[in-house]
Structure formats: C-alpha cells, structure tokens
Amino acid sequence: MRSRRAAALLALSLSTTLVLSACGGGGGTTDGAQADAPTISVFGTEPQNPLLPGNTREVGGSKILDALWSGLVGYTVEGETENVVAESIETTDSQNYTITIAEGWTFHDGTPVTAQSFVDAWNYVAYAPNGQSSAGFFAPIAGFADVSPAEGEPTAETMSGLQVVDERTFTVALTSPSPVFETTLGDVSFYPMPESFFADPQAFEDNPIGNGPFRFESRVPDQNVTLARYDEYGGAAPANVGGVEYRFYADSEAAYQDVVSGNLDFLETIPGSFLIDNLYQQDLPDRNGNQPYAGINSMAFPIYEERYADPQLRQAISMAVDREAIINNVYNGLVEPATGFIPAGVPGHVDDQCGELCTFQPERAKQQFDASGFEGTIELISNVDSAINREWMQAACISISNTLGTECNFVPVPTFAEFLTQRQAQELTGIWRSGWIASQPTMEYVLQPQYVTGAENNDGLYTNPEFDALVERGSNAASIEEAQALWAEAERVLIQDMPAVPINDQSAQFGWSDRLDNVSMTYDRELDVRSVTVRQ
Amino acid sequence: MGRYVLRRLLQLVPVFIGTTFLIYFMVWALPGDPLAGKCGDQACPPAFIERMRLEYGLDQPILVQYLSYLGGLLQGDFGQNFRGQDVGTLIANTYPVTIKLALVALVIQAVIGLTAGVLTGLRPGGYLDNVVLTATLFLVAVPVFVTGYVLQAVLGLRLGLIPPTVPSDPGLFDLIVPGYVLGSLSLAYVARLTRTSIAENSRADYVRTATAKGLTRNRVVGVHLTRNSAIPVITFLGADFGTLMGGAIVTEGIFNIRGIGGLIFESIQRLDGVVVTGVVVLLVMVYLLANLLVDVTYALLDPRIRLD
C-alpha cells in the first residue's frame, strides 16, 4: 500500500517535470538605456522581414529603420525634399548626378559614412541573387539590367552607373533623365550600409548598424525593439528622448487602452471603433491629432473581366458612390473626398481634376449604367483584417445599390495575404479595395506602379498607350515642373478611363500619453521621434 | 506504475507524427501565398520570391518539405519562420507566459470553484446554493471576450486599478485579471461539478461510517468526502489545463499578452506553417502529459484505482 503511494508520488513528480520541461526556458527582456533622458514607448507591429533596408517594404519594419537610419534626403511634412546626409546633389541634365556627402556622419559602430557605403549598399540590394525585395527601386540606374536581368543570370555584380569619385563624392548615371530621382533617394532602400554588413549579413540582421538618430539596442521577437539615442548623430541635432521602444501589439484596441491609461506613449492609428462620435477626443483630451497624409483609398476594377471593360460603366459606378455619406458615416468627417488619383499631399497635385466624375450624380450614373447594359450583381471585395476597410466598402456598396437599382454584395476576404494573392493572380471577378500611399512624394510613384501597362501593381491589367506615353514623358522630363504638368495630363486621361474609383484622401488620427510634448508626425505618418520631448 | 507511465509516454510517438503531419498539411492547404504581403501593398520582385522559395524549400513537393521539417524537429530544431526567426526561440519566449497564465487560471478556478462547490454541495437548495447557481449560470452565458473587455475597460480604464494590458515580462499579480477571465467559464463548471459530486457522496455509506466512528465533521468533509468527490473535478481540471493553453488566444489578444495564443493566431494569418506546427505539437504534448498527470493523481486520491 505504502509503496504504491510512493510510486504514485514519484510518477506524479516525473510527469510534472515532463510537462514543465516541455515549456522551455524563460525569455527575458532587457531594459532600455536610462542614462539621462527617458525612453518613450511607441506602438508597433512585428516586422515582416529581417531589419535590413533593402528588404523592408512594410510599415512595421520601415518605421524602425527610419529611426535607425538617415538617408541622403528626407521629406518635410509637406512632402518637400531636403538634404540630410547629402551635402549637395547636383545635376545639369537630370540624368547624371554628382552626390556629395556632408561631413561628420558616422555609423553606430563608429566607422564613417562614405560614398562607398552608399554605392556598396545599392549594388548589394540591386544584385538579383541577393533577392532583396527593394531591388526594383534601382531600375533607373545605368547597368541595373546587368545585375538584375528580367531573365537569365546576371552578367555583372555592380551597376556601371555608380562611380565613387572620392571619400565623400560619388556619381550616378541613369539610363534616361529622371527629374524625381533626387526625391526617390529618401526611400528606405537607398540607405547606406557599413562595411561590417558585407562581411556577415546574417550577424548584421541580429544587430543592425545604421547612421540614424537612434542605435539598435535589443529585440525580442513579437514583443519589442528597443533603440537608444545615438549621441554622435551627424544630423542637425541628436534626439531629445533617450530612446524609443517600439512595442508590438497584436491588436490596436489594446494599444489604445494603454495610451488612454498612460501605459503606452504613442499610437499612430486610432482604432475604428473609437472614431465613432469622436470618442477618442474625449478619451484623449488635448493629446490627439488628425493629420492628412499622401494616401488614397480607391476601388479598382478587374478590367480583364468582360463585364467591367467599358469605361462608361466604370464612370457610372464612380458617380453612384456617395463619398460624402461614406466620409460622414464611416470616417466621422475626418477625411476629405478624393478629387483625382493623386492624393492632396503630393507635390504637383492639381485640385479637382476629376470634377463631376468623382462626385455623387445619381441621375447621370443611373442613365449611364442602364445604357451600358451591365447584367448581374456588382461585387465589392476587400480583406477584413485591417483598418476600417469593411465598413467603408459596405457603405459604398449600399450607395451603389441604391443609386443604380442593382444588387451589390460585399465579399470579405479574411486576410490581406490571401486578398493580395488573389489580386495578383487576376482571380478577383469583382471590384476590389486598393489603397495607395505615396511613400515617395512624387506623382510618378502614384501613377506608374499602379496604372502603366504591365507595371507590377497594375493588377486590373489596365492599359492605355496614351497614358503610358504621358507618364513616361513626365518621367524623362528635364525639369520637375515640366514632369508634373505631363503627369497631371496623364491623370486626366486616367480619369476618363476610370480604371479605379477614387474615394477619399487618407488622414491619420493619432493619440499620445500625457508624458509627451511636441508631438508631430512625419510625412509618412510616423511619430517624429527626433523632435518629440518628454514632459518633466 | 512505472510500466504504465512508460507505455503512455510511448503512445506519444504516433500522436506526435500524426499531429505534425495533419497540421503541416492543413496549414499548407489554406488559401493564400505565405510570401504575399511581405512587401507592403505592392507585389514582391521575382528575385526576392525566388530566393525565399529556395531558402524555405517552397519549391519542393509538400511531402519532402514535411519530412525535412520532421527531421529537424527530431533533432530539436523547430526551423525558421518566414521572417528568419528561430521558431524554437519564439516558443521559448512565449511559452512561459502562457504557462503562467494557464496556471493562474487553473489555481483561480480550482480554489474558487472547489470552495463554492463544497459549500453549496453540503447544503443543496440553500440560499448560498441559489446564489452560486445563478452566478455560474451567468458566467457560462457570457462569452470570454465580453468578460475580458468589460473587466479591462472598468478596472483598467475607468477605475485605474490595473494597467489595461500586461507588461512583456509579467509577474503573477499582473496575470490575476486575465487569469480570471481565461478561467471564468471553467470556474463555473468546476463549481457545479463539485457541488453535484459532494451532494451525491454525502449520502454515501463511507460518509455515514466515518460520522458513526465519531470523527469530527471537519475531518469527514475535508478528508473523506472532498477527497473522493474531487476525482471527477481533477479529471476536468487536468483536461482543462490543455484547453487553457490553446484557448488563451482571445484573452491574450485582449490584454496584449505575448504568449502562445497570439503566436498561433498571427502565424495562421501569415501562413507560417513552421511556427503553427511547432506550437501545436507542443500543445498536444502538454495536453497528453497533463492527462497522464491526472491519471496518476487518481492513484493518490483513490488507492482502489489501479493503473497497470
């Protein structure tokens, strides 16, 4: 009897140990540097890729990279381009550029930022076998086709268009003139890399070394990334705060609660349920903001579908959408209706390009729709795992259905990944949501990738040679003014064809804890981590 | 006893292979491309896709992928997810938090549930019995996410008694409210189960004998009655521990606890089969081991139960 009980006890402790040892070891977090200035905490999401500039195209990662690195140029909140690491960027023909780097810039490991740091980094990203997701950004540079040919093996490892002149100067030759090349240099993919990266890219991923206002300190997957202020920063002035912790949330509702109670310092997107009746302004009195940014919400057509091939029909649908109603009911009046394809924040934007075609014209819409002979139901498709896409698409659906007297269904796709896959495979047979953010403030970056024939994001397979020619002429124009005029003309062509229906320009609602002062947003709607201060 | 435990442990092998196989194939069968959405709103360039496909063996047939994954798993290598992170590390980071949370929930439901059950079981039909019956009915009726959001909003936001979310390295105190939320449903079941069991057994012969022997009421109830009545409750709690680990998804989401639940949820969304398989396999192991623990506990509670 006794011995059995002893055996049972033994077995009990054995299986307990097994259960617990299956649980693995503990994962601790490291505390941020608390030298003199305090660290602030900012909402973030887990980066999709390793923290490398050439391999980061989504917001969770690029937000962190923007604090770790500084590029040749940066953007003001109005979308103007200004030199940061560059002392000067000179060109006479918009095709051959001489770039000089300002003095005093160092990487976080102490090595100087040189012309070579840029040239090597760019060649690395562009070289196809390295498989970097941003490789396409280097396509305008002469010799890109040799390192990343459309088909077959690369014939060179470096681009012939990049030449180092001396320690602080290098030249860039483009295949054709581009008046916006200077502007594109502010993109994440053009950041410089220190020598240590090329020696061991794998180790670099675990401990990225940039040249920005903050240096990398620690990273706990799915939890946070901590950065500390870099005191030798080469830019205008070091940051005011001692460090930034990007804290990852699965759900922005929880982050919102944390901001209200002072547990988190900054949240850049107020969740949709707190925009209703402007609830967030009551929860966060004097510590909330609303700022438009260069993004646009639209609904794109599958032009490869016979049913949607008629531009008259697409215009009719555009005029059937009551944008004001959507904005008032869904966005609580916080955004502006779109009046063209170019968001208002992009330099060169022309007001009211679209005119009547982008306003609610129930009668004309109905007439034109009936004339088109469209049959069947209209379907609006969107992923439903982010923001308030479902809500505004449903509102648009109701508006279309009421105006045109036809049936309209909203078709949800559970995840963004699935939605994107179907979109890119031309599997969607209805009208889908298409958002676009001009992360580079140029009209070209809105028009070219989305609507030019065969462009990588032209998922609706829209094509019009006149439009293509105008965009290309703009891209090769000698001056930026000339280019903008041509792109505006291209936009007018686009409006007649209406491959997508512009709905509204986007705007960011954000909130912060009562610890913060001097809160402002950057051009690409992130917290300006350099100017923000902590209340004493 | 030793042979019994060994046999049960050996049974884990086919279950291990079966689960990994099923899960791996199910994740693969989900629609969508795991590489989509890695480049923001835009399409990824072909060179990037090519490199990722080679690196993660996506060009191989699914069976080959599974076998090489299994091979790694047997050597203790959980593989890498599509973000280049070591899945073993991810699990090691998140598992302790969820275990802690599940244990807190378990303790809360055991303590409150058993106490309420014993008290009401001794006086069925009494005032307290009615109160507990109503309260548990309410708990069963309200979904976990409602309890979670309400407690978070009231205690966290309006009253400011607790932080609305749990810090990344939580202490036991931080986990009390989420633990209660997680365990609230089972708490009701435990209370009701105990009540029925106690009410039935209090009329049993051995209780009458014990009372007749002149034992104090405390000893009769505490040692004889409760111990025997606890057997079905222990079965329930043991099985529930496994459920709590997997069922923490909602609670972890509400309180932003970076545990195993959130990891599974996000990995399913991202079609990260390597992570999902790894975590689910561990959950299955814990479930089975917890059940083993329950069976072994029987022998302690009731010496008549033989295991081998």
Side-chain angles (χ1 to χ4, degrees):
Chain A
M1 201 67 185
R2 286 286 141 198
S3 69
R4 177 174 298 150
R5 177 171 290 191
L9 272 172
L10 187 74
L12 182 76
S13 62
L14 173 72
S15 38
T16 320
T17 325
L18 280 169
V19 170
L20 291 179
S21 61
C23 313
T29 50
T30 31
D31 285 338
Q34 289 282 342
D36 47 346
T39 296
I40 60 168
S41 53
V42 173
F43 170 83
T45 49
E46 175 76 11
Q48 296 274 301
N49 297 316
L51 288 172
L52 297 179
N55 225 353
T56 297
R57 295 243 55 82
E58 45 78 48
V59 64
S62 45
K63 179 193 303 200
I64 299 168
L65 293 184
D66 282 341
L68 280 171
W69 263 273
S70 283
L72 286 169
V73 302
Y75 310 126
T76 66
V77 70
E78 290 83 22
E80 299 297 327
T81 307
E82 58 183 13
N83 288 343
V84 181
V85 177
E87 188 176 277
S88 67
I89 299 174
E90 280 161 12
T91 180
T92 48
D93 55 1
S94 290
Q95 186 169 6
N96 293 290
Y97 289 83
T98 304
I99 300 173
T100 311
I101 297 164
E103 273 178 271
W105 284 88
T106 52
F107 286 106
H108 303 149
D109 60 359
T111 55
V113 178
T114 63
Q116 198 72 46
S117 325
F118 282 95
V119 171
D120 287 348
W122 296 4
N123 278 326
Y124 181 87
V125 179
Y127 186 53
N130 290 331
Q132 301 288 294
S133 59
S134 297
F137 283 86
F138 297 90
I141 297 175
F144 178 78
D146 300 330
V147 298
S148 185
E151 270 168 41
E153 294 297 306
T155 53
E157 279 189 34
T158 55
M159 291 180 278
S160 57
L162 297 177
Q163 297 297 334
V164 175
V165 177
D166 60 40
E167 179 94 334
R168 283 173 44 217
T169 317
F170 66 107
T171 59
V172 185
L174 306 181
T175 44
S176 57
S178 166
V180 294
F181 180 67
E182 196 176 326
T183 304
T184 63
L185 292 177
D187 189 86
V188 177
S189 44
F190 287 89
Y191 288 159
M193 292 297 243
E195 268 170 43
S196 59
F197 167 72
F198 304 99
D200 189 352
Q202 205 65 41
F204 190 88
E205 282 177 17
D206 300 329
N207 190 11
I209 295 164
N211 63 333
F214 292 91
R215 63 182 164 74
F216 180 82
E217 195 156 277
S218 70
R219 174 175 188 182
V220 183
D222 274 321
Q223 262 174 27
N224 64 5
V225 165
T226 322
L227 311 181
R229 183 172 63 197
Y230 179 53
D231 290 320
E232 315 300 314
Y233 179 60
N240 294 313
V241 294
V244 182
E245 179 200 359
Y246 291 93
R247 204 181 290 166
F248 304 148
Y249 284 81
D251 165 25
S252 60
E253 304 250 343
Y256 177 82
Q257 310 262 20
D258 267 355
V259 172
V260 173
S261 65
N263 207 10
L264 175 76
D265 288 328
F266 186 81
L267 173 66
E268 78 215 349
T269 339
I270 304 284
S273 52
F274 296 98
L275 296 180
I276 299 167
D277 292 334
N278 289 338
L279 189 65
Y280 76 106
Q281 293 179 354
Q282 295 165 33
D283 279 343
L284 299 165
D286 303 322
R287 44 196 181 100
N288 67 77
N290 178 29
Q291 180 177 307
Y293 63 91
I296 187 163
N297 267 338
S298 44
M299 307 192 302
F301 292 96
I303 295 174
Y304 47 81
E305 280 282 303
E306 192 59 40
R307 306 191 317 151
Y308 293 104
D310 179 8
Q312 295 296 316
L313 167 80
R314 303 198 290 261
Q315 289 182 355
I317 292 179
S318 172
M319 289 185 290
V321 180
D322 188 350
R323 291 170 180 74
E324 293 293 338
I326 294 179
I327 288 168
N328 289 332
N329 295 333
V330 181
Y331 290 97
N332 227 353
L334 291 168
V335 297
E336 293 293 321
T339 59
F341 283 89
I342 309 284
V346 177
H349 160 90
V350 180
D351 275 338
D352 205 20
Q353 280 276 60
C354 196
E356 222 175 45
L357 287 176
C358 290
T359 51
F360 185 44
Q361 307 285 345
E363 277 157 35
R364 202 179 142 192
K366 173 91 174 120
Q367 255 175 17
Q368 215 163 304
F369 179 75
D370 290 343
S372 76
F374 183 90
E375 277 178 23
T377 50
I378 292 178
E379 284 181 338
L380 298 191
I381 309 167
S382 168
N383 61 313
V384 289
D385 58 345
S386 57
I388 44 180
N389 300 323
R390 173 197 282 272
E391 286 83 350
W392 78 255
M393 287 288 276
Q394 275 173 338
C397 212
I398 293 168
S399 178
I400 289 173
S401 144
N402 286 347
T403 316
L404 302 180
T406 179
E407 206 178 322
C408 175
N409 289 331
F410 175 75
V411 183
V413 180
T415 64
F416 182 61
E418 198 183 330
F419 173 65
L420 209 59
T421 311
Q422 293 183 7
R423 231 176 80 174
Q424 286 162 359
Q426 275 78 46
E427 279 170 7
L428 297 182
T429 53
I431 306 171
W432 70 80
R433 177 188 76 82
S434 81
W436 191 260
I437 297 171
S439 51
Q440 295 171 14
T442 70
M443 297 165 78
E444 181 190 38
Y445 190 63
V446 179
L447 300 176
Q448 205 281 334
Q450 293 193 91
Y451 302 111
V452 162
T453 308
E456 54 183 9
N457 294 293
N458 187 349
D459 297 323
L461 304 186
Y462 168 70
T463 174
N464 181 342
E466 189 191 352
F467 170 78
D468 291 355
L470 280 168
V471 172
E472 201 186 329
R473 272 175 62 203
S475 303
N476 296 332
S479 75
I480 188 79
E481 291 76 17
E482 198 184 318
Q484 284 171 353
L486 284 159
W487 287 327
E489 205 180 323
E491 189 190 3
R492 284 191 287 276
V493 174
L494 206 56
I495 283 162
Q496 290 308 313
D497 285 343
M498 203 65 85
V501 175
I503 303 289
N504 65 277
D505 283 0
Q506 295 181 1
S507 149
Q509 292 80 40
F510 49 98
W512 61 91
S513 75
D514 47 19
R515 284 178 73 214
L516 299 192
D517 253 339
N518 295 321
V519 175
S520 62
M521 295 287 263
T522 59
Y523 170 78
D524 43 2
R525 69 163 177 157
E526 289 160 12
L527 172 69
D528 189 342
V529 283
R530 289 201 316 151
S531 64
V532 67
T533 56
V534 173
R535 219 169 268 184
Q536 293 305 317
Chain B
M1 174 70 72
R3 274 184 57 193
Y4 172 77
V5 173
L6 191 70
R7 208 170 62 221
R8 286 287 297 265
L9 287 177
L10 279 177
Q11 282 172 1
L12 292 184
V13 176
V15 175
F16 174 82
I17 295 178
T19 16
T20 48
F21 183 81
L22 273 178
I23 299 294
Y24 204 90
F25 277 72
M26 274 154 69
V27 174
W28 182 260
L30 285 174
D33 176 358
L35 298 178
K38 289 189 77 77
C39 305
D41 253 331
Q42 311 163 27
C44 291
F48 173 78
I49 291 172
E50 183 63 20
R51 197 204 64 180
M52 294 292 280
R53 291 184 75 85
L54 280 179
E55 205 172 309
Y56 290 94
L58 295 178
D59 51 337
Q60 308 273 349
I62 176 72
L63 201 64
V64 177
Q65 283 185 47
Y66 168 70
L67 287 177
S68 77
Y69 172 72
L70 193 66
L73 208 57
L74 289 177
Q75 296 162 34
D77 176 14
F78 282 93
Q80 282 203 335
N81 70 358
F82 288 126
R83 285 173 276 158
Q85 292 160 336
D86 189 45
V87 176
T89 318
L90 285 180
I91 293 176
N93 279 342
T94 49
Y95 225 48
V97 184
T98 305
I99 296 262
K100 250 194 227 171
L101 178 65
L103 283 177
V104 169
L106 205 64
V107 168
I108 290 180
Q109 73 193 44
V111 171
I112 302 184
L114 274 171
T115 316
V118 170
L119 290 180
T120 53
L122 289 175
R123 284 176 199 280
Y127 172 71
L128 187 68
D129 189 27
N130 281 319
V131 172
V132 171
L133 271 180
T134 322
T136 49
L137 185 69
F138 181 73
L139 277 185
V140 173
V142 179
V144 173
F145 68 89
V146 174
T147 326
Y149 277 123
V150 167
L151 285 182
Q152 184 186 41
V154 173
L155 298 180
L157 270 188
R158 305 295 160 212
L159 300 178
L161 293 176
I162 54 159
T165 63
V166 169
S168 56
D169 197 11
L172 282 182
F173 180 74
D174 297 315
L175 291 174
I176 288 180
V177 174
Y180 172 78
V181 171
L182 181 60
S184 59
L185 186 65
S186 304
L187 192 157
Y189 289 136
V190 170
R192 293 198 157 195
L193 207 55
T194 316
R195 174 190 174 274
T196 318
S197 189
I198 292 267
E200 258 172 30
N201 285 338
S202 57
R203 287 190 297 273
D205 291 342
Y206 68 85
V207 176
R208 214 176 307 146
T209 312
T211 320
K213 274 199 303 187
L215 295 182
T216 59
R217 180 161 169 80
N218 278 350
R219 190 158 170 82
V220 173
V221 173
V223 177
H224 295 268
L225 182 56
T226 309
R227 184 163 143 181
N228 280 290
S229 309
I231 291 183
V233 181
I234 295 285
T235 319
F236 178 77
L237 285 177
D240 202 44
F241 182 69
T243 320
L244 288 179
M245 300 272 325
I249 295 181
V250 175
T251 316
E252 288 187 356
I254 294 173
F255 294 96
N256 198 44
I257 302 171
R258 301 326 294 256
I260 222 83
L263 186 64
I264 292 192
F265 183 68
E266 281 179 28
S267 307
I268 292 176
Q269 277 199 324
R270 290 182 185 141
L271 299 171
D272 225 328
V274 179
V275 184
V276 180
T277 321
V279 176
V280 172
V281 167
L282 272 185
L283 284 182
V284 169
M285 293 291 141
V286 170
Y287 202 85
L288 293 172
L289 289 172
N291 272 329
L292 176 59
L293 196 72
V294 169
D295 290 349
V296 171
T297 318
Y298 279 179
L300 285 178
L301 288 173
D302 186 350
R304 284 173 307 176
I305 297 176
R306 291 175 61 94
L307 294 175
D308 37 13

